[in-house]
């Protein structure tokens, strides 16, 4: 299955791109996808524990099972307003 | 339009018009503006970025919550892109029957936006830049 990952702000700058598409095994979790993402973009380094995750625009934890077509977003500490 | 994320200049009057109604005896507006001084440095401009579809969904949720708690109606408009000092970067309008509810809902909405809306700002100084809250 394919999932799309969106990167924002400092993470986007570190990776040098704003999105990527990953091919995952059926049954993969968000945590699995993050592992693949970090190996494809070593410049991301280790994700700080302050980074949150969203799948299809909902905050989720890393154990979230993924489905084909999911849109994952890495959300570094927000600073709107 | 009640919920808006735009690269264009914000119009606080348009936000008020989006929620004002005959039974709203109290309309409270919060404007966030770009400040000159931050972290003891001089800011030249801010650059905003958002995960806009998720941010708008969050604005709608904040509105649903304030409606439930205070019977208010909200407008939330947020700027994207480059904003010079003094520019209005966010407008929140809360309309209610009475002032206490409107003030409470407006304060609640800006605090929720700041805590959870997927929006980021980079401060640009004369001699550097900084993603607020991200340590880089």
């Amino acid at each position: 299955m394919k999932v799309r990952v969106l990167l924002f702000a400092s993470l986007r700058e570190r990776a040098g791109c704003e999105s990527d598409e990953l091919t995952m095994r059926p049954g993969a979790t968000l945590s699995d996808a993050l592992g693949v993402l970090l190996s494809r973009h070593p410049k991301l380094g280790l994700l700080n524990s302050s980074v949150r995750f969203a799948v299809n625009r909902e905050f989720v934890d890393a154990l979230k099972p993924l489905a084909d077509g999911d849109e994952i977003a890495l959300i570094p500490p927000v600073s709107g307003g | 339009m009640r919920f808006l994320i735009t690269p264009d200049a914000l119009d606080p009057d348009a936000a008020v018009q989006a929620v004002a109604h005959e039974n709203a005896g109290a309309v409270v507006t919060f404007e966030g503006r770009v400040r000159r001084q931050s972290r003891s440095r001089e800011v030249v401009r801010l650059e905003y970025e958002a995960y806009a579809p998720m941010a708008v969904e969050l604005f709608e949720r904040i509105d649903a919550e304030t409606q439930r708690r205070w019977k208010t109606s909200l407008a939330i408009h947020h700027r994207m892109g480059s904003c010079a000092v003094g520019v209005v970067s966010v407008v929140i309008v809360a309309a209610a029957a009475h002032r206490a509810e409107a003030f409470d809902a407006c304060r609640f909405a800006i605090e929720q936006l700041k805590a959870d809306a997927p929006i980021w700002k980079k401060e640009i100084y004369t001699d550097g830049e900084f993603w607020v809250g991200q340590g880089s």
Side-chain angles (χ1 to χ4, degrees), chain B residues 62-84:
Chain B
I62 295 171
D63 176 58
E65 178 66 12
T66 59
Q67 210 158 31
R68 193 181 66 76
R69 288 171 70 163
W70 294 289
K71 307 268 185 281
T72 52
S73 180
L74 294 182
I76 304 178
H77 294 185
H78 205 299
R79 259 304 280 276
M80 284 301 105
S82 184
C83 292

Side-chain angles (χ1 to χ4, degrees), chain B residues 74-106:
Chain B
L74 294 182
I76 304 178
H77 294 185
H78 205 299
R79 259 304 280 276
M80 284 301 105
S82 184
C83 292
V85 171
V87 163
V88 177
S89 56
V90 60
V91 175
I92 297 185
V93 181
H98 304 289
R99 66 188 180 283
E101 291 81 357
F103 275 115
D104 285 353
C106 191

Side-chain angles (χ1 to χ4, degrees), chain B residues 24-76:
Chain B
V27 176
V28 169
T29 301
F30 170 81
E31 280 182 20
R33 292 175 173 234
V34 179
R35 200 173 53 235
R36 167 78 65 194
Q37 199 79 20
S38 181
R39 274 159 267 278
S40 308
R41 298 178 79 176
E42 184 155 333
V43 172
V44 177
R45 66 178 194 277
L46 299 183
E47 282 176 9
Y48 283 96
E49 158 173 349
Y51 182 16
M54 183 173 169
V56 167
E57 286 184 14
L58 186 90
F59 294 173
E60 290 168 350
R61 258 184 235 181
I62 295 171
D63 176 58
E65 178 66 12
T66 59
Q67 210 158 31
R68 193 181 66 76
R69 288 171 70 163
W70 294 289
K71 307 268 185 281
T72 52
S73 180
L74 294 182
I76 304 178

